[in-house]
Amino acid sequence: HLNAARLAERGVRYRRNVSHRGSQFEYPLAVMARNGKLINGETERARYQARTVKEALAGNEKYLNDLSRYADRYKEPVAMFSSEHILPWLNSASLVKAFDDLFCANFDDVQYVVYFRSPDDALLSQYSERVKRGYSQPLEAFVRQRLNGLNILKTASRWANTVGDDRMQVRLFGQDLLENGDVIDNGHTVPGLLPGESWTCMHAMSIVEPDRLVLELDPGAAHAPPLES
């Protein structure tokens, strides 16, 4: 979003439909609803105002319809869309095909760029977001639940097999791959579990193989296990 003007100078159009949304989840959500599908969990459905197929379509289908007018409304030859919800929500080949068919019907050449984070970084980020939204699930239970369904190869293969290898690029996203290094410095904090609580971030070497630099969170003495006598 912050680079929208610079992208436009290079002939790439990136436009948020809703200014405060960091992820354009309206596209996968509407595609799911058109195919009679809803996202999992009553809490998540309420959060995204998609409790029923009708409600999901009412709030999001208009954005799918607007795709046909993109070429007439914008001068840039390339349009870019971005959503971290596409991979987890479009979790079947039929939904991937429905999504791809829609974009291919409105654009001459559709390409996909997928970024995968290392599992430990991704889990930490996901847990932090859930805490911000008021969830109180213990970290251990959250990690155990997410690891059961974590299969990067399966996800990438589903898309490659559906849209074709030639239209999909898989890239790795990590602090060691960023031009200016990590965006989090030692001493920065993230929200804790309790109201007003902050956990301190520190970089440290992993205690399990493979050896790598990881982000360590210090929740403080309030969360320290009791000492055995």
Side-chain angles (χ1 to χ4, degrees):
H1 176 67
L2 297 177
N3 292 324
R6 182 64 60 85
L7 289 170
E9 294 174 0
R10 300 185 179 187
V12 179
R13 177 71 184 185
Y14 175 69
R15 173 185 174 273
R16 285 182 178 177
N17 296 312
V18 183
S19 60
H20 65 272
R21 289 183 186 171
S23 170
Q24 294 175 303
F25 62 76
E26 56 269 22
Y27 295 116
L29 189 59
V31 167
M32 291 181 68
R34 278 190 175 181
N35 287 270
K37 304 292 185 180
L38 294 173
I39 56 178
N40 293 328
E42 294 183 5
T43 301
E44 291 296 283
R45 291 174 185 172
R47 176 174 180 250
Y48 290 100
Q49 298 181 343
R51 300 170 185 85
T52 65
V53 168
K54 183 178 180 180
E55 184 181 34
L57 288 173
N60 300 280
E61 190 172 34
K62 58 185 177 183
Y63 301 116
L64 298 186
N65 297 332
D66 283 345
L67 292 176
S68 62
R69 296 186 283 272
Y70 238 77
D72 296 329
R73 292 171 62 183
Y74 305 118
K75 63 181 181 180
E76 294 84 3
V78 176
M80 183 174 72
F81 304 88
S82 175
S83 177
E84 63 189 34
H85 296 78
I86 292 175
L87 286 186
W89 284 1
L90 304 182
N91 55 10
S92 69
S94 59
L95 286 176
V96 171
K97 186 177 187 306
F99 184 87
D100 184 55
D101 286 347
L102 175 72
F103 276 82
C104 286
N106 290 285
F107 299 96
D108 295 332
D109 181 22
V110 179
Q111 300 285 328
Y112 297 94
V113 180
V114 183
Y115 284 89
F116 284 114
R117 302 178 69 179
S118 65
D120 46 357
D121 288 342
L123 288 171
L124 175 61
S125 176
Q126 293 167 8
Y127 186 70
S128 176
E129 287 299 315
R130 290 178 71 88
V131 170
K132 291 177 184 177
R133 298 201 297 265
Y135 289 82
S136 58
Q137 184 181 23
L139 177 59
E140 182 180 356
F142 172 81
V143 171
R144 187 184 306 113
Q145 175 187 3
R146 289 304 173 99
L147 285 178
N148 287 336
L150 185 63
N151 192 325
I152 292 176
L153 178 60
K154 181 179 179 180
T155 301
S157 298
R158 178 190 302 129
W159 278 81
N161 293 337
T162 304
V163 307
D165 293 344
D166 58 323
R167 293 202 291 125
M168 182 177 173
Q169 298 180 43
V170 176
R171 301 178 180 176
L172 300 180
F173 178 82
Q175 61 179 17
D176 54 332
L177 302 176
L178 298 177
E179 181 177 344
N180 296 317
D182 197 358
V183 296
I184 298 178
D185 288 330
N186 290 340
H188 283 183
T189 60
V190 296
L193 293 176
L194 303 178
E197 182 182 58
S198 296
W199 293 2
T200 303
C201 303
M202 295 293 291
H203 290 89
M205 293 304 297
S206 62
I207 59 176
V208 296
E209 294 183 347
D211 292 338
R212 63 201 186 282
L213 188 65
V214 298
L215 190 64
E216 183 179 274
L217 296 183
D218 180 6
H223 297 278
L227 296 175
E228 296 182 2
S229 57

